[in-house]
């Protein structure tokens, strides 16, 4: 049946909103076809699509290495699993809260951020997210290239693995890195529908292969080995708690990126219920289960090889059958493609497009992401578990926690989920504020981020920060970086919006009929 337009918008009975006259509303330098609301006929993603998306993104090498990284700093497998499960339950909350706007209005993250930060100010939040995504893109691309390098080495032999070293690595490994980079670009250039189809088959494939690998390793080891029974090196006392909270912040930070830009995917959702159900089924369950698989496979590897092999690529290279090696490494390649294209290319592509919508398309943004991902030199970030968890994850988690706090306070507290959709693309309307910037959001973000990461510190030899913290009095807060950034920014923004309201900040009234 026909649904009457209400002013510039069409409101569906299920709560979703679209534009009554998209061409007129989007005739602006702040709009292009990639940033525009998804038409209703293209909002087709269902529960399975979102569950498959998260399954595909969760079973990747860095999430496999999360458990091993925690073990490396002293936790036992029980403590590692508890940490990972708890972190994913916590991050699920802001993730679902920010997902709501994507499904309701069909908009990506940088457009959603315009409501809180302003049409121009949204670039601040978007670029923070984009740069971090570029770092993750580089990390995952390096891992995928390593899998290709190992796979071809098993087939070709020493002439491949023993190639001339250039900048600390054989030139063949650099070539493998480049091959994997091109594969990712090909998939993302074909658009979101290709991504959806790829995730639909990649997710169950990788999960089934991981279970088969576990069964194979346990049978070969005649049991799980000694790793399972090993006590924690940090115990359960004061030393445990001194590591628990910074580790928890690192685990939360692992998906704090997606907690911001999940609207990039939920904008394609058929309903709120389906996207919520799919994400609840997909994220915390898969991350915990995959970490458990990683621990048990590693436990079996200790009994077989005499020492735990935490890196699945190195584990694959120890198999004797070239067919088994090829199949295992092919699975690693699929798993890495699955997460990197979805989690680390889509978001910055939209974010860079938001900078200059008329000049930078989604595909151009993807190329920018790929180039920056290489320039960040991801191989350095993976060199040390302390750097990986406490420097990389811990620091950016505090920054993104502050962004999430502003977005949630604005959308749920100030606006009660009501946005003026067309005006998100139009200057000098509700979201223009002061020349395109909302100072309340900027102040809340800066203060929240400063308190969260101003005290960033590293243990000697394990990072770039001084041991007493960048700002010594703030050092104790760094162990709780994500929570501090999130809570401070949320409360400060809500307070500023209440004490200093203006017409643009007032809760959106019902659209005129």
């Amino acid at each position: 049946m026909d649904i009457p337009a209400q002013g510039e918008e069409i409101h569906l009975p299920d709560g979703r909103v679209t534009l009554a006259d998209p061409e007129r509303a989007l005739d602006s330098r702040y709009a292009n076809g990639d940033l525009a609301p998804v038409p209703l006929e293209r909002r087709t993603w269902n529960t399975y699509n979102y569950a498959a998306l998260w399954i595909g993104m969760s079973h990747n090498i860095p999430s496999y290495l999360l458990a091993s990284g925690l073990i490396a700093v002293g936790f036992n497998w029980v403590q590692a699993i508890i940490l990972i499960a708890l972190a994913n339950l916590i991050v699920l909350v802001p993730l679902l809260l920010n997902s709501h706007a994507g499904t309701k209005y069909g908009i990506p993250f940088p457009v959603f951020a315009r409501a809180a930060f302003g049409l121009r100010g949204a670039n601040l939040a978007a670029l923070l997210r984009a740069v971090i995504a570029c770092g993750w893109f580089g990390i995952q691309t390096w891992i995928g290239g390593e899998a290709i390098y190992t796979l071809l080495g098993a087939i070709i032999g020493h002439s491949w693995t023993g190639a001339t070293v250039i900048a600390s690595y054989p030139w063949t490994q650099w070539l493998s890195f480049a091959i994997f980079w091109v594969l990712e670009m090909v998939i993302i250039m074909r658009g979101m529908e290709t991504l959806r189809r790829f995730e639909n088959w990649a997710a169950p494939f990788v999960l089934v292969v991981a279970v088969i690998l576990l069964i194979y390793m346990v049978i070969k080891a005649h049991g799980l080995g000694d790793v399972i029974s090993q006590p924690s090196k940090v115990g359960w006392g004061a030393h445990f708690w001194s590591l628990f909270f910074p580790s928890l912040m690192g685990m939360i930070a692992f998906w704090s990126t997606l907690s911001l830009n999940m609207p990039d995917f939920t904008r394609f959702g058929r309903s709120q219920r389906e996207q919520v159900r799919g994400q609840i089924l997909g994220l915390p369950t898969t991350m915990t289960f995959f970490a458990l698989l990683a621990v048990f496979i590693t436990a079996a590897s200790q009994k077989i090889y005499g020492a735990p092999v935490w890196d699945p690529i190195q584990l694959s290279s120890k198999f004797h059958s070239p067919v088994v090696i090829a199949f295992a490494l092919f699975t690693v390649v699929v798993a890495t493609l699955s997460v990197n294209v979805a989690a680390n290319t889509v978001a910055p592509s939209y974010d860079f497009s938001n900078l200059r919508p008329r000049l930078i398309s989604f595909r151009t943004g993807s190329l920018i992401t790929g180039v920056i991902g290489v320039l960040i030199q991801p191989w350095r970030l993976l060199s040390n578990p302390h750097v990986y968890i406490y420097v990389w994850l811990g620091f950016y988690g505090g920054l993104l926690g502050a962004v999430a706090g502003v977005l949630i306070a604005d959308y749920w507290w100030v606006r009660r989920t009501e946005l003026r959709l067309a005006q998100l693309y139009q200057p000098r309307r509700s979201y223009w504020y002061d020349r395109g910037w909302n100072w309340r959001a900027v102040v809340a973000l800066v203060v929240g981020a400063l308190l969260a990461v101003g005290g960033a510190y590293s243990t000697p030899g394990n990072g770039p920060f001084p041991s007493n913290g960048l700002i010594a009095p703030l050092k104790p807060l760094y162990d709780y970086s994500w929570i501090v950034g999130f809570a401070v920014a949320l409360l400060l923004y809500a307070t500023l919006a209440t004490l200093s309201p203006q017409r643009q900040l007032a809760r959106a009234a019902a659209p005129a009929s």
Side-chain angles (χ1 to χ4, degrees):
M1 64 178 178
D2 293 333
I3 301 172
Q6 302 177 28
E8 297 174 300
E9 302 170 355
I10 296 175
H11 291 245
L12 277 69
D14 63 6
R16 292 182 300 165
V17 179
T18 190
L19 293 175
D21 186 358
E23 291 188 6
R24 177 184 176 189
L26 300 177
D27 185 18
S28 163
R29 67 179 183 274
Y30 294 96
N32 64 26
D34 297 311
L35 298 176
V38 176
L40 293 176
E41 62 272 14
R42 289 178 52 209
R43 301 189 197 182
T44 58
W45 288 34
N46 56 30
T47 298
Y48 176 77
N49 294 140
Y50 287 107
L53 178 71
W54 273 114
I55 293 170
M57 290 194 297
S58 296
H59 50 45
N60 60 84
I61 306 306
S63 64
Y64 189 105
L65 294 174
L66 279 179
S68 63
L70 291 173
I71 298 295
V73 298
F75 294 104
N76 66 11
W77 75 272
V78 174
Q79 294 168 330
I81 295 301
I82 290 173
L83 265 169
I84 291 171
L86 179 59
N88 282 282
L89 288 173
I90 292 173
V91 81
L92 187 65
V93 175
L95 193 150
L96 292 177
L97 290 175
N98 283 328
S99 292
H100 186 278
T103 302
K104 183 171 183 177
Y105 297 100
I107 54 176
F109 160 66
V111 174
F112 171 46
R114 293 173 181 178
F117 287 88
L119 266 72
R120 290 174 172 167
N123 287 319
L124 174 61
L127 287 179
L128 275 176
R129 170 66 181 96
V131 171
I132 291 164
C134 290
W136 268 120
F137 176 86
I139 288 172
Q140 294 278 12
T141 303
W142 181 255
I143 289 171
E146 184 184 3
I148 291 177
Y149 169 76
T150 306
L151 170 60
L152 294 178
I155 297 172
I156 299 173
H158 181 72
S159 62
W160 180 265
T161 56
T164 303
V165 173
I166 299 175
S168 302
Y169 295 95
W171 69 263
T172 48
Q173 186 160 352
W174 293 112
L175 177 61
S176 301
F177 179 54
I179 291 171
F180 194 80
W181 187 93
V182 171
L183 283 174
E184 293 170 317
M185 290 296 103
V186 169
I187 292 175
I188 199 64
M189 288 294 177
R190 295 181 65 87
M192 291 295 288
E193 184 60 23
T194 298
L195 173 62
R196 183 181 70 88
R197 291 197 298 267
F198 178 75
E199 294 290 350
N200 282 351
W201 74 265
F205 170 76
V206 176
L207 203 56
V208 168
V209 172
V211 172
I212 293 173
L213 177 60
L214 172 62
I215 295 171
Y216 171 80
M217 292 293 291
V218 170
I219 292 174
K220 190 173 180 180
H222 305 291
L224 290 175
D226 300 326
V227 172
I228 298 258
S229 60
Q230 284 185 353
S232 167
K233 295 179 183 178
V234 300
W236 292 92
H239 191 196
F240 167 78
W241 291 109
S242 69
L243 287 176
F244 175 84
F245 285 105
S247 299
L248 182 65
M249 295 306 102
M251 299 304 102
I252 292 173
F254 190 80
W255 287 125
S256 66
T257 51
L258 269 292
S259 74
L260 293 184
N261 75 278
M262 201 59 199
D264 294 341
F265 301 95
T266 58
R267 65 193 299 228
F268 297 95
R270 292 197 309 199
S271 70
Q272 297 288 3
R273 175 178 294 183
E274 288 189 280
Q275 64 92 356
V276 168
R277 185 183 300 168
Q279 295 196 75
I280 291 175
L281 289 173
L283 172 58
T285 54
T286 305
M287 277 294 291
T288 304
F289 179 63
F290 196 65
L292 199 60
L293 287 178
V295 168
F296 287 164
I297 290 171
T298 305
S301 75
Q302 172 161 302
K303 190 168 185 179
I304 297 170
Y305 303 111
V309 183
W310 294 102
D311 186 341
I313 296 176
Q314 297 304 316
L315 178 61
S316 300
S317 68
K318 291 181 176 294
F319 298 153
H320 296 297
S321 169
V323 174
V324 174
I325 293 174
F327 184 69
L329 291 172
F330 172 75
T331 304
V332 170
V333 170
V334 171
T336 308
L337 277 172
S338 180
V339 64
N340 214 23
V341 173
N344 304 316
T345 311
V346 172
S349 298
Y350 284 128
D351 295 338
F352 289 129
S353 179
N354 192 64
L355 272 176
R356 290 289 185 271
R358 294 299 192 188
L359 297 177
I360 303 176
S361 67
F362 178 82
R363 289 174 171 81
T364 304
S366 300
L367 288 173
I368 295 173
T369 301
V371 172
I372 295 177
V374 175
L375 296 177
I376 284 176
Q377 303 181 54
W379 47 91
R380 298 184 184 276
L381 294 175
L382 290 170
S383 61
N384 185 317
H386 289 270
V387 174
Y388 177 53
I389 294 175
Y390 301 124
V391 176
W392 171 242
L393 293 177
F395 190 87
Y396 86 62
L399 297 177
L400 297 191
V403 177
V406 171
L407 294 178
I408 289 171
D410 181 76
Y411 184 67
W412 289 94
W413 172 255
V414 175
R415 305 187 188 283
R416 298 294 195 267
T417 76
E418 295 298 329
L419 302 177
R420 296 181 174 101
L421 182 56
Q423 296 183 33
L424 288 169
Y425 300 89
Q426 299 166 352
R428 297 172 185 83
R429 300 288 295 276
S430 293
Y431 308 110
W432 190 242
Y433 300 108
D434 183 9
R435 288 171 288 185
W437 291 78
N438 180 6
W439 65 267
R440 300 156 187 80
V442 175
V443 169
L445 170 60
V446 171
V447 173
L450 178 63
L451 293 178
V453 303
Y457 68 92
S458 303
T459 56
N462 286 315
F465 304 129
S467 58
N468 61 343
L470 291 172
I471 303 175
L474 299 180
K475 178 181 176 180
L477 297 180
Y478 186 62
D479 288 346
Y480 312 91
S481 57
W482 185 87
I483 288 178
V484 169
F486 178 79
V488 170
L490 185 148
L491 294 174
L492 182 56
Y493 181 84
T495 301
L496 291 174
T498 301
L499 295 179
S500 181
Q502 62 183 47
R503 182 176 61 84
Q504 291 93 331
L505 262 179
R507 291 171 186 159
S513 57

Short mmCIF file of all heavy atoms in Angstrom, two decimals, residues 61 81 225 305 307 339 364:
data_model
loop_
_atom_site.label_atom_id
_atom_site.label_comp_id
_atom_site.label_asym_id
_atom_site.label_seq_id
_atom_site.Cartn_x
_atom_site.Cartn_y
_atom_site.Cartn_z
N ILE A 61 42.73 -14.28 12.15
CA ILE A 61 43.97 -14.56 12.86
C ILE A 61 44.18 -13.65 14.08
O ILE A 61 44.55 -14.13 15.15
CB ILE A 61 45.18 -14.47 11.91
CG1 ILE A 61 44.97 -15.39 10.71
CG2 ILE A 61 46.47 -14.83 12.63
CD1 ILE A 61 44.66 -16.82 11.07
N ILE A 81 39.67 -16.85 28.22
CA ILE A 81 38.32 -17.01 27.68
C ILE A 81 37.34 -16.10 28.41
O ILE A 81 36.46 -15.48 27.80
CB ILE A 81 37.87 -18.48 27.77
CG1 ILE A 81 38.76 -19.35 26.87
CG2 ILE A 81 36.42 -18.63 27.37
CD1 ILE A 81 38.75 -18.96 25.42
N GLY A 225 46.91 -32.32 25.73
CA GLY A 225 48.22 -31.88 26.17
C GLY A 225 48.21 -31.21 27.53
O GLY A 225 47.21 -31.25 28.26
N TYR A 305 54.19 -31.23 19.19
CA TYR A 305 55.46 -30.64 18.73
C TYR A 305 56.41 -30.27 19.87
O TYR A 305 57.51 -29.79 19.62
CB TYR A 305 55.18 -29.40 17.88
CG TYR A 305 54.29 -29.69 16.70
CD1 TYR A 305 52.99 -29.19 16.64
CD2 TYR A 305 54.72 -30.50 15.65
CE1 TYR A 305 52.16 -29.47 15.56
CE2 TYR A 305 53.91 -30.79 14.56
CZ TYR A 305 52.62 -30.26 14.54
OH TYR A 305 51.80 -30.55 13.47
N ALA A 307 56.14 -27.89 22.02
CA ALA A 307 55.98 -26.49 22.43
C ALA A 307 54.70 -25.97 21.81
O ALA A 307 54.31 -26.39 20.71
CB ALA A 307 57.17 -25.65 21.98
N VAL A 339 37.20 -10.93 7.14
CA VAL A 339 37.15 -9.87 8.14
C VAL A 339 37.70 -8.56 7.61
O VAL A 339 37.18 -7.48 7.91
CB VAL A 339 37.93 -10.28 9.42
CG1 VAL A 339 39.40 -10.46 9.14
CG2 VAL A 339 37.72 -9.25 10.52
N THR A 364 36.91 4.96 -4.46
CA THR A 364 38.12 5.77 -4.28
C THR A 364 38.58 5.72 -2.82
O THR A 364 39.77 5.62 -2.54
CB THR A 364 37.86 7.22 -4.70
OG1 THR A 364 37.39 7.24 -6.05
CG2 THR A 364 39.13 8.05 -4.60
#
